Amino acid sequence: RGRVRVVSYNLLAHCLSDSEEKRAKLFPYLPARALDTEYRRQLQLEEVLGYNADVVCLQEVDDVKVFKRYLLPHMLDEGFSG
């Protein structure tokens, strides 16, 4: 019997962590580096791909900065479309 693995993953939109004020208010317990998009994007990609999903649903994706310039090319290489 065929199975389909679906993964839903929240990336945390850059607009929620792009200023010191937002970071202090929303994420006071995290170091600034942990909220840096450039730092997080490779880790997020590795984690999402590590689930070996057939379908990946992403939330809070920054359209150009993260998805089109980074995630989409890598996920296309892995056989995804979107």
Side-chain angles (χ1 to χ4, degrees):
R1 183 197 245 196
R3 294 180 185 240
V4 175
R5 181 176 291 183
V6 178
V7 168
S8 179
Y9 195 89
N10 187 309
L11 298 176
L12 178 61
H14 178 70
C15 66
L16 296 177
S17 63
D18 63 353
S19 73
E20 187 59 42
E21 181 181 344
K22 289 178 187 177
R23 285 190 292 268
K25 184 176 182 177
L26 298 172
F27 307 101
Y29 47 87
L30 290 176
R33 177 175 164 96
L35 294 170
D36 180 66
T37 301
E38 300 299 315
Y39 171 75
R40 291 184 5 249
R41 68 183 188 175
Q42 178 64 35
L43 298 173
Q44 292 168 329
L45 179 65
E46 289 174 8
E47 184 166 352
V48 167
L49 294 177
Y51 291 118
N52 296 313
D54 300 298
V55 177
V56 175
C57 304
L58 300 173
Q59 295 85 46
E60 295 191 31
V61 179
D62 293 303
D63 187 44
V64 174
K65 184 170 180 128
V66 175
F67 186 70
K68 287 183 180 173
R69 290 186 186 158
Y70 187 76
L71 291 176
L72 183 59
H74 288 284
M75 294 187 80
L76 289 172
D77 287 345
E78 295 293 326
F80 288 94
S81 62

